[in-house]
Amino acid sequence: MSQLNLRVLVIGGGLGGLCLAQGLRKAGISVAVYERDNSAAARAQGYRVHIDTRGEQALCECLPPSLYELFLATRGQESKGLTVFSVVDGQLKEAATWRFPEGGSGEFVTVGSAVDRLTLRQILLVGLDDAMHFGKEFNRYEQQKDGTVRAFFVDGTSATGDVLVAADGVGSRLREQFLPHAEVIDTGVRWLGGRTVLTNELRALLPTPLVETFGSVPGVAQALLFGLVAFRQEPNQAAAHLWPGLRFHDTVDYVFWGVLAQRHQLAVSDEELNAMPGPDLQRLVLALGVDWPQTLRTLIEQCRPDQTFVLKMRHAKPIEHWQTTNITLLGDAIHVMLPNGSGANTALRDANLLSRRLIVVASLGTPLHQALHDYEIEMLRYGFNAVRASLQRGRAGPSHG
Ligand SMILES: Cc1cc2nc3c(=O)[nH]c(=O)nc-3n(C[C@H](O)[C@H](O)[C@H](O)COP(=O)(O)OP(=O)(O)OC[C@H]3O[C@@H](n4cnc5c(N)ncnc54)[C@H](O)[C@@H]3O)c2cc1C
């Protein structure tokens, strides 16, 4: 096989998988992404992610320059996100702050930005039309005698490549087959959340520091967390200059919120919770927060029912490096962490690192297994550092000043 003709198959078109595809495409390497959803807008996927130096660096290297410009222009406000957390009292006054040195992961991290995941995902999809295969749910793989790997999809089709990458998130089916001993721990905590349009009235009620940080209101349930996405400029206006023809789906400022509740605090099963219509979920959240100030209750009441969602809070257990083959993993598929961590930044960083390693294989003829081995060792080191940091952050207490 000529290394120049490397064919990379990516399972999962989330942030990590798409960033990898962009990086490979930029270098002229053949890549195909197989995504389970039927289209880019198949689910309500827009929530706030804090993107810091690590994510920005990866996007800068993987995206074409004008798309990176578009990412910068469509970010939300500057945010201290992962380094500072505000605790708010019943009157919505800042009562304390939690500070996490260097983002808590031991890595150098700057102040970042509040970014809308859906907007970022749309940017990551630009130019990949012929590489994207929607409605392709991965089922299993087979290693072939000629050194290639074949992926089989639920619809009965298959695809063959030289490298197969699991970028299929926390429930990764590819990881289940490839590393069946890898464990994902369910913390028993459920995130009942949503996004509420940030009206001028709501903006006026929220304390100023919360524009820059994520806020937490202790309550009957573990806590109510909330943070804003206030776009620096209207994303479609930015696109008109930088990428004419691109229209973003949803470009209003919003407050992203979530109540953390122990499963046993909820009188319903996980199945019932997942199937619960938006209005019922909102009622459940309001019942958990009987002692919240009216502003917070308004925040939840004003949320559109189709913008609510439920999440299991899970994290990966550290795993020893395995025997390298032509199958590898990135992002939540290998090192899922709590949402207070840097899962998106780490998935983007993985994508960048893996794309750099594969570029060296294609351009200089470095052996594929060596390149993947080096990627995996480095990714496991910083990836599980970030998992640990998210767990420590979850346990940390407030500090004043
Ligand atoms: C509420 C919340 C807040 C968060 N906030 C932050 C934050 O502030 N900062 C931060 O860094 N991170 C944050 N994260 C974490 C971050 O969103 C994730 O770590 C990141 O999206 C992981 O990217 P990924 O590409 O690995 O997986 P995903 O983005 O989950 O993408 C996986 C993709 O694979 C597809 N897929 C799944 N199974 C299959 C299959 N069998 N076949 C084909 N396709 C499949 C899925 O449909 C999906 O599109 C947050 C997460 C949540 C839930």
Side-chain angles (χ1 to χ4, degrees):
M1 181 198 77
S2 158
Q3 296 289 6
L4 291 169
N5 294 330
L6 201 61
R7 291 160 304 165
V8 182
L9 309 181
V10 181
I11 305 299
L15 300 183
L18 293 176
C19 186
L20 172 64
Q22 289 283 359
L24 295 176
R25 165 73 47 117
K26 196 174 170 185
I29 296 175
S30 161
V31 60
V33 181
Y34 298 91
E35 167 55 47
R36 170 180 64 181
D37 289 343
N38 286 324
S39 72
R43 295 173 283 126
Q45 307 199 17
Y47 54 79
R48 176 196 200 270
V49 285
H50 173 88
I51 298 294
D52 61 37
T53 345
R54 294 164 292 180
E56 284 184 7
Q57 173 77 22
L59 291 166
C60 179
E61 288 189 34
C62 292
L63 289 172
S66 45
L67 267 189
Y68 180 64
E69 285 291 302
L70 187 58
F71 158 71
L72 292 179
T74 54
R75 288 172 302 168
Q77 80 283 6
E78 191 170 85
S79 154
K80 290 178 181 157
L82 293 175
T83 49
V84 180
F85 210 87
S86 299
V87 182
V88 180
D89 67 17
Q91 305 313 309
L92 285 187
K93 297 274 182 295
E94 197 173 30
T97 51
W98 297 359
R99 290 178 192 281
F100 307 108
E102 297 176 351
S105 63
E107 312 266 352
F108 176 72
V109 175
T110 60
V111 168
S113 305
V115 168
D116 175 48
R117 183 183 179 277
L118 184 59
T119 305
L120 173 56
R121 191 158 180 261
Q122 274 193 269
I123 291 172
L124 285 166
L125 279 162
V126 170
L128 293 182
D129 298 359
D130 55 333
M132 270 315 288
H133 303 275
F134 283 107
K136 289 284 176 191
E137 183 173 350
F138 171 83
N139 189 24
R140 65 186 179 87
Y141 68 83
E142 272 175 17
Q143 307 270 18
Q144 309 290 300
K145 288 203 179 76
D146 63 0
T148 60
V149 57
R150 189 164 174 199
F152 293 86
F153 303 98
V154 169
D155 65 4
T157 59
S158 66
T160 303
D162 303 303
V163 186
L164 180 63
V165 182
D168 48 345
V170 54
S172 173
R173 204 172 292 165
L174 180 41
R175 180 198 62 232
E176 278 169 15
Q177 185 182 350
F178 183 55
L179 301 174
H181 58 290
E183 280 182 70
V184 173
I185 314 282
D186 180 353
T187 61
V189 177
R190 302 293 174 257
W191 171 295
L192 317 182
R195 27 172 275 166
T196 305
V197 172
L198 183 61
T199 57
N200 286 339
E201 294 75 41
L202 206 50
R203 199 187 292 260
L205 291 170
L206 297 174
T208 312
L210 282 188
V211 174
E212 289 183 354
T213 68
F214 220 79
S216 165
V217 190
V220 174
Q222 277 201 351
L224 182 129
L225 307 176
F226 61 110
L228 315 188
V229 174
F231 289 103
R232 292 168 196 222
Q233 63 171 297
E234 211 282 313
N236 283 320
Q237 273 177 16
H241 290 297
L242 293 162
W243 206 278
L246 177 64
R247 291 288 303 169
F248 288 104
H249 293 304
D250 203 350
T251 57
V252 289
D253 295 348
Y254 61 87
V255 186
F256 176 56
W257 53 268
V259 169
L260 302 182
Q262 294 286 346
R263 195 174 34 189
H264 63 77
Q265 286 178 300
L266 305 165
V268 287
S269 67
D270 277 334
E271 291 69 34
E272 288 166 320
L273 204 54
N274 286 332
M276 196 174 268
D280 292 354
L281 193 70
Q282 283 163 285
R283 271 191 287 279
L284 179 64
V285 170
L286 288 167
L288 286 169
V290 283
D291 55 348
W292 289 333
Q294 185 52 41
T295 309
L296 290 184
R297 301 184 70 77
T298 307
L299 184 68
I300 290 149
E301 285 159 1
Q302 286 184 356
C303 181
R304 259 179 36 203
D306 64 346
Q307 295 291 321
T308 58
F309 63 93
V310 178
L311 279 177
K312 277 185 191 167
M313 304 276 280
R314 290 174 285 187
H315 66 88
K317 200 167 160 187
I319 183 172
E320 292 293 318
H321 184 233
W322 49 89
Q323 180 72 43
T324 297
T325 70
N326 55 353
I327 297 171
T328 196
L329 311 91
L330 65 75
D332 283 5
I334 178 68
H335 47 55
V336 65
M337 57 197 86
L338 303 181
N340 68 4
S342 50
N345 288 284
T346 312
L348 294 170
R349 180 176 179 179
D350 294 350
N352 186 26
L353 181 62
L354 181 54
S355 102
R356 274 200 256 144
R357 296 275 187 248
L358 291 174
I359 289 167
V360 173
V361 173
S363 58
L364 299 180
T366 299
L368 177 62
H369 281 208
Q370 186 189 320
L372 292 179
H373 173 273
D374 293 352
Y375 158 73
E376 286 161 357
I377 296 293
E378 198 173 339
M379 174 274 289
L380 288 173
R381 179 191 59 76
Y382 65 67
F384 280 98
N385 272 347
V387 174
R388 271 187 290 278
S390 85
L391 291 169
Q392 280 162 8
R393 204 173 288 134
R395 284 192 288 266
S399 71
H400 297 267

